[in-house]
Amino acid sequence: MKHSMEYDVAIVGGGPAGCATALALKQQGIPKILVVESGRYETIRIGESIPPDTRLLLGKLGILEDFLKEKHETCFGSCSSWGSDTLGYNDFLRNPYGNGWHLDRRRFNAFLAQKAVERGVELHCGTRVRNCDRIPSQGFQLQLVGEDKQTRVITASFLVDATGTRASLVRGLGARKLFLDKLICAIAFFELPPSSDFSKLTLLEAVEYGWWYVAKLPNHRLATVVASEPSIIKEARLHRMENWLTYLKETKHISKELVDCCAIDNLSVSSASQAKTQEPIVCAAPSFRLDRTAGNGWLAVGDAASAFDPISSQGIYKALWDGLKAAKAITSYLHGDSRGLEEYESLITSRFNNYLTQRNYFYKMERRWPASPFWQRRQQRTGLEQGNLLAGV
């Protein structure tokens, strides 16, 4: 076991929320910050879209110019078949902040981590938290285990949970999830020919059993997603490419766009192989917030604090926003004033309530399948409930 190190703030989770919190804390003058990341920014991450006003948050974090140099895929808005068979358009032409982006999430996450390191944040990749114990009047003690199986003990005056929807640390501190919904997504990636002129709009299409979307990513890649009930994903075996493609072929708009742009030829399994894709990635996409997002010496950020339906395209924006707000609350706490934590918790609750109103309105717009269990449940399920995180399919 290696000797103990002391930090002002330990952040567990090195995704957008964790790195944004670290960057913002550095701007607040907090010197000793540790980010613990279990991976090495090599795993495929889901959640690719950010709206135009994200540039405001990137600017506040001091990384906008560097982000623009990354040259992620431009997004000019969205078109959707929702509540009607006809496509409707919502473009960014009149948006004062210009265009949005479709991201290469692995590269974006690695970029945020690198910016944090450049500003003096200590980053431990390939590292997991084995134990987390509160130390009276001192903060927290964490046992960290690296890929070499060596154990290192650190102490931190403040603890940030940025572990995503698992919220693994704060649940151990007594926080509980209040659920709104438990979607499951099955995602596949395709490669476009270099000459392809696939649309720079996000395409969304509602179907009887859920909804699909497709977005063009950097490097001529497409992300194509179906979202549905856990039971439907399982019973339809949408984790298998053959079945996934069969359902995709039945869509009215998305299948046409993919064929026309030569992403997949005739929507066959062999063409999926030619497109260099693998079996769909299946992941839980719950909507919830914690009953407590902050406490004595700790808080949760990003999807650990509250998770939105992916149809909102707000996950990354929310993560950056949380990081900026959290840093102010943490700085106040470290300077002896805990009122910032109360304000942070109030902000998270208020924002989730606003999301709840918008989400309910959006799902109630779709009336084409009144007997569909998927749409019935989302039009009836408008409030929060206590529960355990969906394990998956």
Side-chain angles (χ1 to χ4, degrees):
M1 183 180 294
K2 296 185 179 180
H3 295 296
S4 176
M5 292 286 291
E6 297 181 359
Y7 297 90
D8 297 307
V9 181
I11 302 169
V12 181
C19 288
T21 304
L23 285 164
L25 283 168
K26 275 295 179 182
Q27 291 179 326
Q28 295 285 333
I30 304 301
K32 300 182 68 176
I33 304 167
L34 173 66
V35 174
V36 179
E37 166 58 31
S38 60
R40 291 195 173 275
Y41 300 101
E42 297 171 348
T43 305
I44 293 175
R45 299 293 182 184
I46 308 304
E48 304 83 16
S49 298
I50 55 175
D53 53 343
T54 307
R55 69 175 60 236
L56 294 177
L57 304 182
L58 295 170
K60 289 180 180 180
L61 292 169
I63 59 174
L64 176 59
E65 290 187 8
D66 290 337
F67 166 77
L68 295 175
K69 294 175 184 177
E70 293 284 298
K71 297 188 180 301
H72 291 276
E73 188 72 22
T74 300
C75 174
F76 290 135
S78 63
C79 59
S80 61
S81 171
W82 193 279
S84 169
D85 288 337
T86 304
L87 286 175
Y89 292 83
N90 179 24
D91 60 56
F92 297 146
L93 288 177
R94 292 188 175 89
N95 192 296
Y97 304 112
N99 60 269
W101 293 272
H102 290 145
L103 305 174
D104 178 332
R105 275 298 303 279
R106 285 183 290 187
R107 182 153 57 88
F108 179 70
N109 285 14
F111 162 80
L112 291 176
Q114 181 60 35
K115 293 296 116 180
V117 170
E118 290 175 3
R119 285 157 174 74
V121 174
E122 190 172 332
L123 173 65
H124 290 184
C125 290
T127 303
R128 299 182 181 276
V129 177
R130 174 178 288 172
N131 288 311
C132 176
D133 298 306
R134 185 183 289 278
I135 306 173
S137 74
Q138 296 183 45
F140 295 87
Q141 182 180 80
L142 280 67
Q143 285 191 9
L144 308 179
V145 181
E147 293 170 326
D148 59 2
K149 307 302 181 184
Q150 291 292 316
T151 300
R152 180 183 182 187
V153 177
I154 68 105
T155 59
S157 300
F158 199 94
L159 180 65
V160 176
D161 189 334
T163 60
T165 55
R166 292 174 295 150
S168 55
L169 293 181
V170 295
R171 285 191 296 144
L173 296 171
R176 294 291 177 266
K177 295 176 179 177
L178 302 175
F179 277 98
L180 172 65
D181 201 351
K182 298 178 182 179
L183 278 179
I184 291 285
C185 291
I187 308 103
F189 295 90
F190 298 97
E191 292 191 12
L192 289 166
S195 60
S196 171
D197 60 349
F198 196 88
S199 174
K200 291 183 180 293
L201 299 172
T202 302
L203 177 58
L204 174 67
E205 180 173 351
V207 291
E208 184 174 2
Y209 52 88
W211 49 265
W212 289 78
Y213 85 82
V214 62
K216 183 182 179 184
L217 308 183
N219 302 319
H220 306 289
R221 300 180 74 229
L222 284 180
T224 308
V225 180
V226 58
S228 189
E229 287 280 326
S231 59
I232 294 173
I233 295 287
K234 186 174 183 178
E235 292 167 6
R237 296 178 62 80
L238 288 172
H239 62 289
R240 300 302 302 272
M241 181 55 72
E242 182 176 6
N243 301 319
W244 188 94
L245 286 170
T246 297
Y247 277 77
L248 174 62
K249 187 175 181 179
E250 295 172 353
T251 61
K252 180 177 181 179
H253 300 286
I254 288 181
S255 59
K256 182 177 183 297
E257 287 293 322
L258 291 175
V259 171
D260 286 352
C261 289
C262 303
I264 45 179
D265 181 21
N266 295 324
L267 298 177
S268 66
V269 175
S270 60
S271 67
S273 176
Q274 294 167 7
K276 299 181 181 179
T277 190
Q278 300 176 349
E279 296 285 13
I281 299 169
V282 178
C283 63
S287 293
F288 72 86
R289 69 167 173 83
L290 297 178
D291 63 346
R292 300 172 57 210
T293 54
N296 183 22
W298 64 267
L299 59 71
V301 293
D303 282 349
S306 66
F308 291 1
D309 191 308
I311 205 166
S312 71
S313 296
Q314 290 289 313
I316 298 173
Y317 181 95
K318 177 171 63 67
L320 303 180
W321 187 91
D322 281 9
L324 286 160
K325 299 298 183 183
K328 292 182 179 180
I330 294 167
T331 302
S332 295
Y333 177 88
L334 293 176
H335 291 157
D337 186 354
S338 62
R339 289 176 297 179
L341 296 181
E342 297 174 4
E343 181 181 353
Y344 174 79
E345 188 161 30
S346 177
L347 286 171
I348 297 295
T349 300
S350 176
R351 186 188 58 190
F352 190 90
N353 289 340
N354 289 336
Y355 153 72
L356 183 62
T357 300
Q358 295 169 6
R359 175 263 184 200
N360 292 345
Y361 173 79
F362 196 59
Y363 272 113
K364 286 180 179 178
M365 288 175 61
E366 182 53 79
R367 295 291 186 180
R368 284 177 289 175
W369 302 286
S372 162
F374 177 90
W375 295 102
Q376 284 182 348
R377 288 167 185 165
R378 271 140 202 89
Q379 290 163 3
Q380 296 169 1
R381 190 182 301 158
T382 59
L384 297 171
E385 60 184 20
Q386 191 88 24
N388 298 315
L389 180 61
L390 185 68
V393 176

